[in-house]
Amino acid sequence: MTYKTILTELVDGAIGIVTLNRPEAANALSRQMAEELVGTLHYAETQSNIRVIILTGAGKKAFCAGADLKERQGMDRQQWNAQHHAFEKAVAALMHYKKPVIAAVGGAAIGGGMELAMACDFIYASKTATFGLTEARLGIMPGMGGTQTLSRTIGARRAKEMMFLGHIFGAEEAYDIGLVNRIYAPSSLMEAAVSTALAISGNAPLSVAAIKHAVDEGADEPLAHALQTELRHYNQLLDTKDRHEGVNAFNEKRKPRFTGS
């Protein structure tokens, strides 16, 4: 599909690459970009062949430098709220997307850009990537989930310190605190993200989706409830064709042919 601020690409028939495409503005998040991102994800979710999404940014400078402050200049409260509502929908679309979403961060992921990355299932970063929730420097605060996703990833005390300061940090620190999964040379970032996505796409899609939902739903539940959540998703897989295919392929010593059914 064609958009003005988003580029899409299909790799190997199964991996959807979604690129934030405003490099002249450091891929700053505009209302249009947020709306197009939602549209892209909703479309991709209807395509059974697309099993993994990679979210990245165009150019070498930025993944996403946050909300477009030029667009916000002169906005009244109603206009601001309408723009932010579009941002909220974009984050929700990422968080609730039924299939895996990998963020490939090759530059600055600041403010709303970092919140977009954290809304993905996990993050791969280049050595040149930078991160930071700097909203306190602008008289606002993270409003696209950042106070919650960061604190639940690295702990409340460390997250508060970072957000109070508006601390900007590099890929090594992001890795050390558990924000990013892996670091790569800039030239290798997308290759690594695609390789991981392809490996995931070879597994049973219903299994991968069930794991994602069990982890996300169980994170906010007491352990006893979370274990029941896991079993509920586990039991839903038992009557699937892919469950039978996985067992048969193992016993027949061949590669399984999963169909997502």
Side-chain angles (χ1 to χ4, degrees):
M1 302 182 72
T2 302
Y3 300 100
K4 291 185 177 180
T5 66
I6 297 286
L7 294 176
T8 60
E9 179 184 358
L10 186 63
V11 175
D12 202 42
I15 311 304
I17 299 179
V18 178
T19 303
L20 307 177
N21 188 37
R22 299 184 68 214
E24 74 287 350
N27 299 320
L29 185 63
S30 64
R31 178 174 179 176
Q32 182 178 19
M33 179 185 281
E35 290 171 347
E36 291 184 352
L37 179 57
V38 171
T40 301
L41 292 171
H42 284 176
Y43 172 78
E45 202 161 42
T46 67
Q47 305 304 300
S48 60
N49 61 300
I50 300 178
R51 297 191 175 182
V52 183
I53 292 289
I54 298 172
L55 180 66
T56 193
K60 299 179 181 180
K61 182 179 180 181
F63 170 79
C64 174
D68 188 340
L69 297 183
K70 291 183 178 180
E71 182 178 70
R72 282 183 165 177
Q73 182 67 29
M75 278 186 174
D76 60 27
R77 176 65 179 274
Q78 185 176 4
Q79 292 168 326
W80 187 293
N81 286 346
Q83 183 208 49
H84 200 270
H85 181 62
F87 293 175
E88 294 168 33
K89 290 177 68 175
V91 168
L94 284 168
M95 286 186 169
H96 301 302
Y97 190 74
K98 295 179 181 179
K99 307 167 190 179
V101 184
I102 303 169
V105 178
I110 306 298
M114 179 171 163
E115 290 176 293
L116 287 178
M118 291 192 295
C120 300
D121 290 304
F122 57 86
I123 303 171
Y124 282 2
S126 76
K127 293 180 180 179
T128 57
T130 56
F131 300 85
L133 295 179
T134 59
E135 286 86 347
R137 301 183 185 185
L138 301 172
I140 53 175
M141 62 172 281
M144 293 165 55
T147 62
Q148 304 308 306
T149 50
L150 183 62
S151 61
R152 293 176 191 214
T153 300
I154 70 172
R157 292 181 181 275
R158 183 175 279 170
K160 286 178 185 176
E161 179 187 36
M162 285 187 162
M163 289 184 283
F164 292 168
L165 290 170
H167 176 52
I168 295 176
F169 53 99
E172 291 290 345
E173 184 173 353
Y175 177 81
D176 289 342
I177 63 177
L179 181 68
V180 307
N181 288 52
R182 300 181 190 278
I183 302 173
Y184 297 94
S187 60
S188 302
L189 174 64
M190 286 305 297
E191 179 183 355
V194 169
S195 177
T196 294
L198 287 171
I200 292 170
S201 73
N203 291 330
L206 294 178
S207 297
V208 173
I211 291 167
K212 174 171 179 169
H213 290 307
V215 172
D216 290 346
E217 293 169 24
D220 298 327
E221 297 176 333
L223 179 58
H225 292 173
L227 291 173
Q228 291 304 308
T229 295
E230 178 184 274
L231 284 174
R232 174 167 52 84
H233 286 287
Y234 174 87
N235 287 328
Q236 288 173 353
L237 297 173
L238 296 184
D239 294 324
T240 65
K241 293 180 180 178
D242 280 354
R243 194 271 294 177
H244 292 283
E245 169 64 10
V247 174
N248 290 338
F250 176 84
N251 285 291
E252 295 167 11
K253 296 180 172 57
R254 59 173 175 82
K255 185 177 180 179
R257 296 180 291 274
F258 294 122
T259 60
S261 60

